[in-house]
Amino acid sequence: MKTLRPYLLMFTFLGTTTGLAVSLSPKLFIHFLSIGIFSLAGFHVTMSTIPNLKAKFVKAKVTGVDMCKQNAEPIPEAMGVIAGSVFLITMSLFIPIPFLQFDKSYLITENFISDSLKLNVPIINLKARVFDDLQFESLIAALLSICCMVLLGFVDDILDLRWLHKLTLPTIASFPLLTVYAVTYNCTWVLLPKPFSFALNLGIFYYVYMAMMAVFCTNAINILAGINGLEVGQSLIISLSVLIFNLIEITSTSWKVHLFSITFILPFICVSSALLWYNWYPAEIFVGDTYCYFAGMTFAVVGILGHFSKTMLLFFIPQIFNFLFSCPQLFHFVPCPRHRLPKYNPKTNLMNNSHFEYNPKQLGIIGYLCLKFARLFRLCHEQTISPNKVICTNFTLINLVILWFGPKREDAVVRILLFIQIACSAIAFFLRYYIVQFIY
Amino acid sequence: MKTLRPYLLMFTFLGTTTGLAVSLSPKLFIHFLSIGIFSLAGFHVTMSTIPNLKAKFVKAKVTGVDMCKQNAEPIPEAMGVIAGSVFLITMSLFIPIPFLQFDKSYLITENFISDSLKLNVPIINLKARVFDDLQFESLIAALLSICCMVLLGFVDDILDLRWLHKLTLPTIASFPLLTVYAVTYNCTWVLLPKPFSFALNLGIFYYVYMAMMAVFCTNAINILAGINGLEVGQSLIISLSVLIFNLIEITSTSWKVHLFSITFILPFICVSSALLWYNWYPAEIFVGDTYCYFAGMTFAVVGILGHFSKTMLLFFIPQIFNFLFSCPQLFHFVPCPRHRLPKYNPKTNLMNNSHFEYNPKQLGIIGYLCLKFARLFRLCHEQTISPNKVICTNFTLINLVILWFGPKREDAVVRILLFIQIACSAIAFFLRYYIVQFIY
């Protein structure tokens, strides 16, 4: 009975979305219906596979320990690979639908010896339907990039690769994507905002920008992570925002790319929801880097091939803020401890701020300015232990939430963070549809 | 100094092959040169990455024990994922080369306010070269199928999936491939041999055949495996045979598909050679199911999209024999023990036959016939322990080699098996180029 609820929820969600999509563009009825059915199947497979494979993950010692719980049982790690695999399988099975159709052909035998012997038996054949070259290539190239990222993410989870790999591998994985962009659209013009108001051909720099987009998306989610349900939760909110944006734009002239985007985002939402069901506080499973890479690459793919990479970046406001806020520590202007996650207090069952300590006399000028700036906007809280030792809250969004809202239970922290994500999505839509007219 | 030898060997091999290929079709000079360089790079990266990552594999407990050695140290397992990843990275980086070219474009700014302000700064842009649609789609779809298989293989190695998955997953992974076949060539005719001599349209059954081909290739190598260097060794011989076949056919009218095949086979040979260097007796690493899946899918892809699936099957004669020979045990007509690998004798350091035991009175009619047939052709050796208990050598090609050639050291067994593979390739060429004229 417990598991009936998510199914009902998913059914309602998919029903509403596909209904809305079909009403917006009725000619795509079969397409939306099939995406909906495949997504639901993907949701069901993920929901039922995760509990079955948990024991196998524990047996294979692909486990982690939840730092924010009283009992330190090993929890299956890197479960994102199931979501990623189910997504890839769903999409692989879906691929033939928009491009192929069954056709009653005939088992005609052409006898080379005599023409008299001919069999005409009906037989089913596959034929290319109204076949759109660009879309097909884009679809396969996008899946290739995502598949590469899932593979590399899982390898990373198992082997624990170095930081250098985390930056280079997404770049390489985005190559098929960039090639497909170059051979299909190859539009490298950007429109500059007022007061310039002219279009600029960025040429190869546009490709560099897109490759960086792939690196950014995969790592942005990976940095804002570490507490139950946060990775999947934020990815879900971003993907829902993208879905809403696509549904708004599907009536426009560029409906094709938004249809393309929906084709990816809907199954993604479904497998992610199933994952969140098990990953929500208290987590039965961890999603691992695999999921962060998988989600990030899906967003990058959709943003690049859907031609809305700038709008996509708007949905990443909390991640961008978190990255910029982390920079002083990431680039070691101020000290950076090995782990920056909030500290769990087993007595109160609450999350408290974690700190780094520094010596004010040994601080560089940039570090000093960073701290001054953070103090000014109340982004950190300092405590002087001795003249040579000051402790300060770590520069992450999660710590900031705890600093501003006080110590909270893990799920309350996640709820606040996800609420911030939703609020930022609202701001993104406001910027995209209202402010934009004053800029361009 | 020790590692200079494989590099020299690889350099000679690649030099000869690309030299030969270029001399056969000089217009493809740049293409062959770039494949050669990328393959060499892939070889180097695999050679240098494996020793570096060995410790990480051991640390992550992705290890196995070599059953045929005196010391039972854990050996890194599933190293095929490195070969597979390097192959995918090499191919991803290679993709832009045949399809894109740099183009001096201009940073023209189109000012919407006034036409007077125009900047003409030279800039580099990417443009689609003589762009062959079919080839591009095929390339990406093939890579997607291979990438899916590497991912699933690695997951299988870590989690130890069930047999059912080993059969269904390759089928699903082949869907993008089949779709691309349907939207591009979509030729489902087969020519029947004499005395029929007519063409038959198999329709959808042709797709079923191709999907089964993918399942067969991935599992055929997986079954004939288990001793140092055998998986990689046989794959290398098959791929070299395919390369020779492609080089013969590249002067024909269907040169395009053979060029396509070479594009996959050459990097595959290079990463496999690097893997074999470490996997050869005494093995420093194991390649795992990952490699078998990776190799099998590469062969399936090349055979299907290169339109020589029947010729490809000819190169699998030892695997087909091994599969047919194993059938009585696989389908439990005679008993099948958990492991059928030869037994290692630590005293003599030799491999001996492994046995299964059966009760002659409880044997079914099919099992009885199978045993009678095997006895007739000396495919097994039986020993009566008691009236109710007979032991018989296991029905695998490896056991057969030991039965016929006597107990041997592990590397001698592999050498004999690889020699059989080479001999069968020679037979395959004989069938393909000489016997074929009497059949069709």
Side-chain angles (χ1 to χ4, degrees):
Chain A
M1 278 313 286
K2 190 197 163 202
T3 50
L4 200 65
R5 237 174 56 212
Y7 278 91
L8 279 176
L9 202 70
M10 192 44 63
F11 211 74
T12 317
F13 162 70
L14 281 174
T16 319
T17 313
T18 52
L20 203 63
V22 169
S23 73
L24 287 170
S25 50
K27 63 183 183 294
L28 296 170
F29 177 70
I30 292 175
H31 193 83
F32 282 121
L33 192 72
S34 49
I35 303 175
I37 291 170
F38 273 84
S39 302
L40 195 64
F43 176 74
H44 170 67
V45 172
T46 317
M47 281 296 278
S48 55
T49 311
I50 290 175
N52 288 336
L53 285 183
K54 263 163 70 181
K56 278 199 188 281
F57 274 76
V58 174
K59 197 180 154 206
K61 297 220 172 69
V62 187
T63 52
V65 172
D66 199 331
M67 310 288 270
C68 309
K69 296 288 179 302
Q70 274 155 337
N71 59 341
E73 254 176 55
I75 288 179
E77 172 68 281
M79 275 277 179
V81 74
I82 296 178
S85 301
V86 171
F87 176 82
L88 287 168
I89 291 170
T90 311
M91 292 303 284
S92 289
L93 293 174
F94 175 74
I95 285 176
I97 292 186
F99 300 108
L100 296 180
Q101 64 186 1
F102 288 105
D103 186 58
K104 203 168 91 180
S105 177
Y106 287 92
L107 190 91
I108 306 164
T109 57
E110 281 178 17
N111 199 314
F112 296 120
I113 304 164
S114 72
D115 277 336
S116 61
L117 198 125
K118 271 198 176 179
L119 284 161
N120 278 22
V121 185
I123 194 175
I124 292 166
N125 205 355
L126 283 171
K127 276 206 176 166
R129 201 189 278 184
V130 216
F131 168 52
D132 192 328
D133 248 4
L134 304 185
Q135 296 272 321
F136 185 61
E137 280 156 26
S138 305
L139 197 74
I140 300 183
L143 282 181
L144 178 57
S145 288
I146 294 172
C147 186
C148 278
M149 260 353 266
V150 175
L151 172 63
L152 297 173
F154 192 57
V155 171
D156 185 12
D157 268 329
I158 301 288
L159 299 184
D160 197 17
L161 299 178
R162 272 175 294 166
W163 258 100
L164 186 68
H165 295 132
K166 291 180 201 260
L167 297 181
T168 50
L169 294 178
T171 320
I172 294 170
S174 67
F175 263 64
L177 203 66
L178 301 187
T179 310
V180 103
Y181 189 88
V183 298
T184 52
Y185 313 100
N186 197 25
C187 168
T188 55
W189 291 81
V190 285
L191 196 65
L192 291 190
K194 288 174 189 168
F196 309 103
S197 290
F198 56 73
L200 194 66
N201 187 3
L202 287 183
I204 201 152
F205 295 108
Y206 196 77
Y207 289 91
V208 176
Y209 156 72
M210 287 193 291
M212 282 172 63
M213 171 101 187
V215 178
F216 168 77
C217 287
T218 44
N219 285 295
I221 294 171
N222 214 355
I223 297 180
L224 185 55
I227 56 180
N228 292 176
L230 183 56
E231 298 94 330
V232 190
Q234 61 179 312
S235 304
L236 257 182
I237 291 166
I238 295 171
S239 51
L240 285 168
S241 310
V242 172
L243 181 66
I244 293 169
F245 175 66
N246 291 146
L247 286 176
I248 295 172
E249 293 289 322
I250 202 152
T251 49
S252 73
T253 48
S254 59
W255 60 273
K256 270 195 178 176
V257 292
H258 294 282
L259 176 67
F260 178 84
S261 170
I262 291 175
T263 312
F264 277 82
I265 284 296
L266 219 49
F268 176 79
I269 290 173
C270 288
V271 296
S272 296
S273 309
L275 208 58
L276 186 63
W277 178 256
Y278 297 103
N279 185 231
W280 189 255
Y281 177 90
E284 289 175 45
I285 56 158
F286 290 147
V287 296
D289 288 352
T290 317
Y291 181 77
C292 300
Y293 283 12
F294 162 49
M297 202 54 167
T298 308
F299 295 139
V301 156
V302 158
I304 290 172
L305 295 181
H307 306 287
F308 55 87
S309 56
K310 275 178 290 180
T311 309
M312 180 60 90
L313 284 178
L314 285 181
F315 296 132
F316 275 83
I317 295 173
Q319 283 74 18
I320 294 171
F321 172 79
N322 184 54
F323 173 69
L324 292 177
F325 188 34
S326 296
C327 276
Q329 288 198 301
L330 293 182
F331 295 108
H332 292 278
F333 297 134
V334 300
C336 181
R338 176 108 179 76
H339 291 288
R340 302 190 299 159
L341 270 183
K343 248 198 332 237
Y344 172 67
N345 187 341
K347 280 176 197 153
T348 57
N349 198 23
L350 299 179
M351 309 278 284
N352 292 302
N353 273 121
S354 64
H355 299 82
F356 66 91
E357 56 174 71
Y358 68 92
N359 184 343
K361 287 163 191 166
Q362 291 178 348
L363 211 61
I365 178 75
I366 305 177
Y368 174 78
L369 289 175
C370 290
L371 275 168
K372 202 171 170 89
F373 184 84
R375 253 178 249 129
L376 187 69
F377 289 94
R378 295 203 184 172
L379 299 177
C380 68
H381 179 257
E382 284 169 309
Q383 209 178 328
T384 311
I385 307 289
S386 73
N388 290 332
K389 190 175 168 186
V390 181
I391 61 167
C392 174
T393 54
N394 275 315
F395 286 7
T396 67
L397 185 58
I398 308 177
N399 271 299
L400 189 63
V401 163
I402 296 172
L403 182 66
W404 282 359
F405 296 89
K408 293 248 176 301
R409 210 175 69 167
E410 196 175 356
D411 56 336
V413 178
V414 176
R415 279 209 183 85
I416 294 171
L417 282 163
L418 295 185
F419 180 78
I420 292 172
Q421 186 84 45
I422 294 172
C424 287
S425 276
I427 294 170
F429 277 109
F430 179 69
L431 289 171
R432 174 66 181 75
Y433 283 108
Y434 186 72
I435 300 295
V436 76
Q437 57 189 306
F438 303 114
I439 294 178
Y440 286 105
Chain B
M1 279 309 288
K2 189 197 162 203
T3 50
L4 200 65
R5 237 172 56 211
Y7 277 92
L8 279 176
L9 203 69
M10 192 43 64
F11 210 74
T12 317
F13 162 71
L14 281 174
T16 318
T17 313
T18 50
L20 202 63
V22 169
S23 72
L24 287 170
S25 50
K27 61 183 182 298
L28 297 169
F29 177 70
I30 292 174
H31 193 82
F32 282 120
L33 192 73
S34 49
I35 304 174
I37 292 170
F38 273 84
S39 302
L40 195 65
F43 175 75
H44 170 68
V45 172
T46 316
M47 280 296 279
S48 55
T49 312
I50 290 176
N52 288 336
L53 285 182
K54 264 163 68 181
K56 278 200 188 284
F57 274 75
V58 175
K59 196 179 157 206
K61 297 219 173 68
V62 186
T63 51
V65 172
D66 199 331
M67 310 289 269
C68 309
K69 296 286 179 301
Q70 275 157 338
N71 59 340
E73 256 176 53
I75 288 180
E77 173 67 281
M79 274 277 178
V81 75
I82 296 178
S85 303
V86 172
F87 176 83
L88 288 167
I89 291 170
T90 310
M91 292 303 283
S92 290
L93 294 174
F94 176 74
I95 286 175
I97 293 188
F99 301 108
L100 296 180
Q101 63 185 4
F102 289 105
D103 187 57
K104 203 168 94 179
S105 179
Y106 287 92
L107 189 91
I108 306 165
T109 57
E110 281 178 16
N111 199 314
F112 296 121
I113 304 166
S114 72
D115 277 335
S116 61
L117 199 123
K118 272 200 177 179
L119 283 160
N120 278 20
V121 185
I123 195 175
I124 292 166
N125 206 354
L126 282 171
K127 275 205 174 165
R129 201 190 279 185
V130 213
F131 169 53
D132 190 328
D133 248 5
L134 304 185
Q135 296 273 318
F136 186 61
E137 280 156 26
S138 305
L139 198 75
I140 299 181
L143 282 181
L144 178 56
S145 288
I146 293 173
C147 187
C148 279
M149 261 350 268
V150 175
L151 172 63
L152 297 173
F154 192 57
V155 171
D156 185 11
D157 269 328
I158 300 289
L159 300 183
D160 198 15
L161 299 177
R162 272 175 296 165
W163 258 100
L164 187 68
H165 295 133
K166 292 183 201 259
L167 296 181
T168 50
L169 294 178
T171 319
I172 295 169
S174 67
F175 264 64
L177 204 65
L178 301 186
T179 311
V180 102
Y181 189 88
V183 299
T184 53
Y185 312 100
N186 197 26
C187 168
T188 55
W189 290 83
V190 284
L191 194 66
L192 291 189
K194 288 173 189 169
F196 308 105
S197 291
F198 55 72
L200 194 67
N201 187 3
L202 288 183
I204 201 153
F205 296 107
Y206 196 76
Y207 290 91
V208 176
Y209 155 71
M210 287 193 290
M212 281 172 64
M213 170 101 186
V215 178
F216 167 76
C217 287
T218 45
N219 285 295
I221 295 170
N222 214 355
I223 297 179
L224 184 55
I227 55 180
N228 292 177
L230 183 56
E231 299 93 330
V232 191
Q234 60 180 313
S235 305
L236 258 182
I237 290 166
I238 295 171
S239 51
L240 284 170
S241 310
V242 172
L243 181 68
I244 293 170
F245 176 66
N246 291 146
L247 286 176
I248 295 172
E249 293 289 321
I250 203 152
T251 49
S252 73
T253 48
S254 60
W255 60 272
K256 269 195 179 176
V257 292
H258 294 283
L259 176 67
F260 177 84
S261 169
I262 291 175
T263 311
F264 277 82
I265 285 295
L266 219 48
F268 176 78
I269 290 175
C270 287
V271 295
S272 296
S273 308
L275 208 58
L276 186 62
W277 178 256
Y278 296 103
N279 185 232
W280 189 255
Y281 178 88
E284 289 175 44
I285 57 159
F286 290 147
V287 296
D289 287 353
T290 317
Y291 181 77
C292 299
Y293 284 12
F294 162 48
M297 203 52 165
T298 308
F299 294 138
V301 156
V302 160
I304 290 171
L305 295 182
H307 306 288
F308 55 87
S309 57
K310 276 178 290 179
T311 309
M312 180 61 90
L313 284 179
L314 285 182
F315 296 134
F316 275 83
I317 295 174
Q319 284 74 20
I320 294 172
F321 172 81
N322 184 53
F323 173 70
L324 293 177
F325 188 34
S326 296
C327 277
Q329 288 198 302
L330 293 182
F331 294 109
H332 291 278
F333 298 132
V334 298
C336 182
R338 178 110 179 74
H339 290 289
R340 302 190 299 157
L341 270 184
K343 249 202 328 246
Y344 172 67
N345 186 340
K347 279 176 200 154
T348 58
N349 198 25
L350 299 180
M351 310 278 284
N352 293 301
N353 274 122
S354 66
H355 299 81
F356 67 92
E357 55 174 70
Y358 69 92
N359 184 344
K361 287 163 191 166
Q362 290 178 351
L363 212 60
I365 178 75
I366 305 177
Y368 174 77
L369 288 175
C370 290
L371 274 169
K372 200 169 170 94
F373 184 84
R375 253 180 249 131
L376 187 69
F377 289 94
R378 295 199 183 175
L379 298 177
C380 67
H381 179 255
E382 286 170 307
Q383 210 178 330
T384 312
I385 307 289
S386 72
N388 290 331
K389 188 176 170 187
V390 179
I391 60 168
C392 174
T393 53
N394 275 314
F395 286 8
T396 67
L397 186 57
I398 308 178
N399 272 299
L400 190 62
V401 163
I402 295 171
L403 183 66
W404 283 359
F405 296 89
K408 292 247 177 303
R409 211 176 70 168
E410 197 175 357
D411 55 336
V413 177
V414 176
R415 279 210 182 87
I416 294 171
L417 283 163
L418 295 186
F419 181 78
I420 292 172
Q421 187 84 44
I422 293 174
C424 288
S425 276
I427 294 170
F429 277 109
F430 179 69
L431 290 171
R432 174 66 181 75
Y433 284 109
Y434 185 72
I435 300 296
V436 75
Q437 55 188 311
F438 303 113
I439 295 178
Y440 286 104

